[in-house]
Amino acid sequence: MSMQAVVYQGPNDVAIEEVEEPELEHPNDVLIDITTSAICGSDLHMYEGRTSADPGIVFGHENMGTVTEVGEGVDTLEEGDRIVAPFNVACGFCQNCENGYTGFCTNVNPGFAGGAYGYVAMGPYTGGQAEQLRVPYADFNALKLPEGDEHEDAFALLADIFPTGWHGTRLADLQPGESIAVFGAGPVGMMAAYSADLQGASEVYIVDRVPSRLELAEENCNATAINFEEGDPVEQIIDEHGAMVDKGVDAVGYQAIDPETDPGDDAYDPARENPAVVLNQLIQTVRPTGKIGVPGLYVPSDPGGPTEMAQQGRLGIDFGKLFEKGLAFGTGQCNVKQYNRELRDMIISGKADPSWVVSHRVDLDEAPEMYEAFDKREEGVTKVLLEP
Ligand SMILES: [Zn+2]
Ligand SMILES: [Zn+2]
């Protein structure tokens, strides 16, 4: 039996192809019919050919759906259950999982810490930008949702970006009443700013270059927008706030644009990249002894990087300044299970509704066009949900 899926063809090219339907492979697997999957900024690293991803990968690590088949070892799920799966595939019983670090599970991806669906180097788990998905260690990885289709958009964001944005603020140890600067107003940056607002930040700054994204963050996160094409973001934040801020979040990662470079015709020309620029801006923006959360993605090898150092994942960080200020960095991908249950309950109770970040809900077969539009950071394309 075959199904439709979004399959990576090579740089800047995905296509809808027929692939094998998933099957139960282990007694603790379930199969789900996908009701919603999402395109993520981290899919773009593969899409742009900026990873070692081989053609043929089915993309999609942000997945929710309805259970259709249940392995005989599964205790807590049954056919018809509506679930959302963390993008992390985790076993639940390794040392890291036991300690809550499900993003660094040592059992699901031998030789590496951490597994995910549909992602290069993250283990053998097929992605969910498709009609169906196999969820391994299902008792551990499935988060049950209320029946029906209420909050479908908001719940879909529990697979990654809402917990990941929240994680950025936790890595920075944000406390109520503190000020925070979030670099990057992509979906994760917006979720970090939204999380900071929910957690009682006194002031939230958000830095980007796309006006529509900045406006969206202003409207929904009580954030002050800082456009880095209009001047040094560090100076703008410190001027506006009257001092350095308490905390910072890097929601950009290694494909960061250096504001010192000329936008020219192609604002996202890799020649504008400087993978250390946001980290160094945060070192300048955050007050001495402050903390900086880094959920933005960095990689140990980037063949398309702008310099030889960058290609080896080595960055020119202002470590002297960092040390002088006694700053701390918290890094790494989100351990979704640390947060997704509570964030689900905040959505159910009405305390949180992150669905404002969703700009598109389209049929799965429109994925190729949406990848292209999202990759160009076209105005108005913030978060794209796919519906098989
Ligand atoms: Zn994602
Ligand atoms: Zn584990």
Side-chain angles (χ1 to χ4, degrees):
M1 292 286 280
S2 69
M3 64 169 182
Q4 294 204 312
V6 176
V7 180
Y8 179 57
Q9 308 290 305
N12 302 307
D13 191 10
V14 293
I16 304 295
E17 283 186 2
E18 293 286 325
V19 302
E20 284 285 300
E21 279 185 0
E23 290 176 359
L24 296 177
E25 294 176 21
H26 184 277
N28 207 344
D29 290 346
V30 299
L31 302 183
I32 63 174
D33 268 351
I34 295 283
T35 53
T36 301
S37 65
I39 301 177
C40 181
S42 60
D43 290 326
L44 296 181
H45 301 300
M46 291 189 290
Y47 177 75
E48 291 173 8
R50 291 291 293 273
T51 65
S52 53
D54 289 326
I57 294 186
V58 175
F59 283 173
H61 58 267
E62 304 185 4
N63 304 312
M64 71 183 285
T66 309
V67 175
T68 55
E69 267 188 72
V70 182
E72 58 186 20
V74 174
D75 282 330
T76 58
L77 296 163
E78 53 190 50
E79 221 182 291
D81 281 346
R82 182 189 189 205
I83 66 157
V84 60
F87 75 87
N88 319 109
V89 178
C91 73
F93 48 79
C94 70
Q95 185 177 12
N96 283 341
C97 282
E98 282 186 355
N99 290 330
Y101 301 115
T102 54
F104 303 87
C105 176
T106 53
N107 277 332
V108 290
N109 188 8
F112 198 88
Y117 303 92
Y119 212 87
V120 60
M122 296 296 274
Y125 307 101
T126 304
Q129 291 173 11
E131 293 176 274
Q132 295 174 46
L133 180 73
R134 177 177 74 98
V135 178
Y137 303 103
D139 282 310
F140 189 66
N141 288 311
L143 180 72
K144 270 201 242 186
L145 301 168
E147 281 176 36
D149 56 8
E150 211 186 355
H151 303 305
E152 181 82 10
D153 288 6
F155 287 149
L157 305 177
L158 291 172
D160 183 355
I161 65 165
F162 191 18
T164 293
W166 190 275
H167 184 56
T169 65
R170 299 324 312 146
L171 288 171
D173 193 28
L174 179 71
Q175 300 298 315
E178 287 188 329
S179 54
I180 187 165
V182 176
F183 281 71
V188 168
M190 286 199 250
M191 289 294 99
Y194 185 58
S195 299
D197 191 38
L198 286 168
Q199 291 167 37
S202 56
E203 281 186 74
V204 179
Y205 296 90
I206 188 156
V207 183
D208 204 283
R209 59 171 300 285
V210 180
S212 61
R213 292 183 164 197
L214 290 169
E215 280 161 28
L216 200 59
E218 276 185 316
E219 278 165 31
N220 295 283
C221 313
N222 292 307
T224 302
I226 303 289
N227 190 330
F228 70 74
E229 303 278 28
E230 291 168 5
D232 180 5
V234 176
E235 279 174 26
Q236 291 188 65
I237 293 169
I238 293 175
D239 277 355
E240 185 77 31
H241 184 55
M244 289 181 265
V245 292
D246 296 308
K247 299 290 167 61
V249 169
D250 171 4
V252 178
Y254 72 106
Q255 287 188 265
I257 293 172
D258 195 329
E260 304 276 294
T261 57
D262 183 353
D265 298 334
D266 178 7
Y268 291 99
D269 184 344
R272 297 194 71 200
E273 287 178 20
N274 170 356
V277 70
V278 166
L279 296 171
N280 286 331
Q281 287 163 339
L282 280 162
I283 288 169
Q284 293 178 59
T285 308
V286 174
R287 72 171 168 80
T289 75
K291 289 197 173 75
I292 297 163
V294 186
L297 182 73
Y298 290 84
V299 290
S301 147
D302 172 18
T307 64
E308 204 175 315
M309 243 177 85
Q311 287 163 15
Q312 298 166 21
R314 302 168 72 190
L315 310 187
I317 293 175
D318 299 336
F319 200 82
K321 191 47 113 180
L322 169 86
F323 180 89
E324 181 187 284
K325 293 175 78 173
L327 295 171
F329 274 113
T331 69
Q333 65 171 355
C334 178
N335 309 294
V336 170
K337 278 185 64 78
Q338 285 191 4
Y339 315 106
N340 64 352
R341 188 178 301 271
E342 290 78 7
L343 296 178
R344 172 199 66 187
D345 292 345
M346 288 171 77
I347 292 168
I348 292 171
S349 71
K351 184 84 183 171
D353 182 2
S355 62
W356 54 266
V357 79
V358 174
S359 59
H360 294 71
R361 169 179 280 280
V362 301
D363 287 344
L364 185 67
D365 56 19
E366 290 175 54
E369 300 97 88
M370 293 317 301
Y371 264 92
E372 199 180 336
F374 185 45
D375 189 53
K376 291 192 178 123
R377 280 77 169 171
E378 276 178 17
E379 289 279 345
V381 182
T382 50
K383 186 69 181 175
V384 179
L385 304 183
L386 302 173
E387 196 175 304

